[in-house]
């Protein structure tokens, strides 16, 4: 009999796992807390690396569709000094497909494809070891059991407590994500400033990064070292005007065109950066595992979605290759070993990266781009 498999969370990791299982004809149930596919704004853009996110898409049979949707030109990188001087201006060759960008929403739709996701199914608790398998409790009071539950439910995973007591901790860096719409028509000056890909400016314990999304949208990330309660007197949920005026004040003396990215943004989201410990592992629990941010939340420096997707694809292939329950448990164990080793390496790299990118010495950040020559 086929094992009953539940994937908790329909992010890049969970959907890749389900898509590859589905491609191999293996039944799978995806349980997603969001009430509908487009219930939330999808967010910005992801760069998918050859050998990581792109390899996962190959395993899902989605590479051709990805080639059509993705933006190789989005790999372009401009670095400015805080006074507006251009320090680096790099554009990829037309055939460079090492890390093309794709909108998160497009990636989600691509991965959703034929999947029958159960929307509005927020999991509240995962209880392994019951007589009928792993018991899931849902926010609406329902309960279901499965043979294998994969927690792909992100930073604040409700699956994680079934295998680990570890919780994320604050890095000391907060990001405010801001959005600019229709830049090409409304603000061609800002469109030129950002270019086809990313713009980054590094100051003392501060950074502003802007990234082009398709359709004339730009996401702007203001990053700064602050205590968690820095915003005690601000209403960060609704008060766009307060954010427009308070954010540029944190970047006092920076060039006006750079600050205009914040002054003209229309929506803001407050995101303190949390991480799990660099080498997060756990004692194997039969019937439950984690992948992606649920397993190894790290600073958002271009690895998290790539790892989550690759893990999803690899776990799916291991499940398909396991003929019975004993082999399935062995497959999950060896998947975990492989995931911990690789994610541990990336967690160290991204933790060190965040220290340098938002650091007291902006030269530390610039040194990370020494290989990016001015074009
Ligand atoms: C600003 C920013 C930029 C980034 N850029 C990149 C990049 O360029 N490249 C890259 O590789 N990574 C990037 N990352 C990191 C990347 O976004 C994450 O690592 C990635 O989304 C993790 O995927 P995931 O599937 O593990 O979890 P998530 O994307 O967090 O998905 C989890 C899903 O689970 C659902 N869920 C949560 N709780 C429950 C529950 N209790 N029950 C049911 N469902 C639940 C959520 O609704 C969500 O759909 C970036 C992150 C940020 C913040």
């Amino acid at each position: 009999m086929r094992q009953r498999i539940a994937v908790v969370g329909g992010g890049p990791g969970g959907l890749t796992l389900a898509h590859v299982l589905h491609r191999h004809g293996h039944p799978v149930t995806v349980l997603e807390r969001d009430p509908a596919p487009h219930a939330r704004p999808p967010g910005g853009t992801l760069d998918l690396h050859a050998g990581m996110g792109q390899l996962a898409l190959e395993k899902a049979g989605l590479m051709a569709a990805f080639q059509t949707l993705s933006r190789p030109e989005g790999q372009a990188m401009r670095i400015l000094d805080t006074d507006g001087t251009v320090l680096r201006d790099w554009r990829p060759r037309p055939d460079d497909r090492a890390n093309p960008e794709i909108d998160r929403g497009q990636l989600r739709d691509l991965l959703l494809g034929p999947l029958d996701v159960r929307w509005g199914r927020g999991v509240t608790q995962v209880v392994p070891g019951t007589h009928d398998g792993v018991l899931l409790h849902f926010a609406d009071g329902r309960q279901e059991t499965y043979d294998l539950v994969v927690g792909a439910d992100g930073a604040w995973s409700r699956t994680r407590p079934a295998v680990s007591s570890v919780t994320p901790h604050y890095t000391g860096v907060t990001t405010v994500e801001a959005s600019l719409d229709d830049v090409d028509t409304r603000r061609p000056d800002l469109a030129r400033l950002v270019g086809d890909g990313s713009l980054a400016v590094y100051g003392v314990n501060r950074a502003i990064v802007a990234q082009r999304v398709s359709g004339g949208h730009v996401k702007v990330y203001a990053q700064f070292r602050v205590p968690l309660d820095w915003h005690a007197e601000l209403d960060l949920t609704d008060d766009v005007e307060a954010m427009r005026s308070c954010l540029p004040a944190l970047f006092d003396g920076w060039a006006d065109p750079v600050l205009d990215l914040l002054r003209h943004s229309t929506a803001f989201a407050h995101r303190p950066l949390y991480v799990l410990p660099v080498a997060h592992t756990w004692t194997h629990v039969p019937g439950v595992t984690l992948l992606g941010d649920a397993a190894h939340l790290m600073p958002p420096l271009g690895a998290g979605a790539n790892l989550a997707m690759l893990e999803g694809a690899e776990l799916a292939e291991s499940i398909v290759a396991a003929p019975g329950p004993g082999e399935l448990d062995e497959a999950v164990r060896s998947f975990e070993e492989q995931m911990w080793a690789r994610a541990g390496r990336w967690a160290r790299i991204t933790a060190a990266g965040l220290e340098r990118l938002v650091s007291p010495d902006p030269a530390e950040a610039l040194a990370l781009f020494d290989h990016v020559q001015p074009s």
Side-chain angles (χ1 to χ4, degrees):
M1 197 181 76
R2 284 286 174 82
Q3 302 290 296
R4 298 164 300 169
I5 296 176
V7 180
V8 184
L15 291 181
T16 307
L17 167 61
H19 201 107
V20 177
L21 283 175
H22 182 273
R23 189 178 187 214
H24 287 277
H26 201 298
V28 55
T29 304
V30 182
L31 304 158
E32 167 57 48
R33 184 180 54 188
D34 284 351
H38 302 291
R40 277 186 293 142
T45 173
L46 292 168
D47 68 304
L48 296 190
H49 310 245
M52 291 182 77
Q54 291 187 50
L55 178 57
L57 289 175
E58 259 169 52
K59 290 175 185 290
L62 294 172
M63 234 358 231
F66 173 72
Q67 304 268 19
T68 309
L69 288 170
S70 62
R71 290 172 281 111
E73 71 279 9
Q75 298 169 95
M77 180 83 200
R78 308 189 79 216
I79 301 180
L80 269 58
D81 208 343
T82 54
D83 66 5
T85 311
V86 178
L87 301 174
R88 301 272 193 285
D89 190 354
W90 178 83
R91 290 180 205 96
R93 293 185 319 270
D95 62 345
D96 183 344
R97 304 205 62 100
N99 307 296
E101 297 278 341
I102 183 166
D103 291 6
R104 276 176 190 269
Q106 291 174 329
L107 179 66
R108 190 177 219 197
D109 289 345
L110 196 61
L111 290 168
L112 276 173
L115 296 178
D116 183 16
V117 172
R118 300 210 196 147
W119 301 98
R121 302 298 306 277
V123 168
T124 53
Q125 198 189 359
V126 177
V127 185
T130 73
H131 71 282
D132 189 33
V134 182
L135 177 65
L136 293 187
H137 292 265
F138 293 92
D140 60 9
R142 279 188 270 187
Q143 300 181 357
E144 287 171 10
T145 47
Y146 292 88
D147 299 306
L148 175 65
V149 171
V150 182
D153 46 349
W156 302 102
S157 169
R158 300 302 285 264
T159 315
R160 192 188 303 122
V163 299
S164 164
S165 58
V166 170
T167 53
H169 61 269
Y170 179 51
T171 55
V173 176
T174 281
T175 293
V176 174
E177 179 183 310
S179 306
L180 281 164
D181 300 322
D182 299 328
V183 277
D184 296 306
T185 43
R186 285 194 197 168
R187 292 300 304 247
D189 56 326
L190 297 184
R192 277 192 301 277
L193 184 75
V194 174
D196 289 336
S198 298
L199 163 80
V201 190
Y202 299 101
V204 176
N205 286 325
R206 307 248 178 296
I208 291 178
V209 177
Q211 280 191 312
R212 192 175 265 275
V213 190
S214 63
H217 302 290
V218 168
K219 288 284 180 193
V220 187
Y221 302 97
Q223 300 192 309
F224 35 91
R225 286 196 179 271
V226 276
L228 256 184
D229 63 354
W230 72 280
H231 56 87
E233 287 165 21
L234 277 176
D235 177 356
L236 294 177
T237 45
D238 294 327
D239 201 340
V240 171
E241 280 312 318
M243 286 301 257
R244 276 186 183 151
S245 60
C246 109
L247 274 184
L250 290 173
F251 296 86
D252 192 31
W254 288 35
D256 270 326
V258 174
L259 297 186
D260 279 349
L261 291 166
L262 298 173
R263 292 185 188 121
H264 296 281
S265 283
T266 50
F268 296 89
H270 179 235
R271 303 195 194 289
L273 298 183
Y274 283 83
V275 290
L276 284 167
V278 159
H280 177 226
T281 63
W282 55 90
T283 303
H284 174 73
V285 174
V288 188
T289 193
L290 307 174
L291 59 74
D293 281 5
H296 47 67
L297 180 64
M298 56 186 79
L301 297 178
N306 280 278
L307 286 168
M309 291 173 68
L310 186 55
E311 289 156 9
E314 287 175 348
L315 179 57
E317 289 185 341
S318 303
I319 291 170
V320 169
E327 289 85 356
L328 178 65
D329 194 50
E330 262 320 300
V332 173
R333 268 178 201 271
S334 57
F335 159 77
E336 287 171 343
E337 298 284 343
Q338 188 180 340
M339 169 175 66
W340 291 334
R342 183 172 50 210
R345 287 195 296 276
W346 278 101
R348 267 183 283 279
I349 292 168
T350 54
L354 185 66
E355 285 307 303
R356 294 180 66 176
L357 290 171
V358 188
S359 95
D361 180 5
E364 284 280 315
L366 291 176
L368 287 174
F369 299 94
D370 277 349
H371 61 289
V372 181
Q373 293 307 316
S375 59

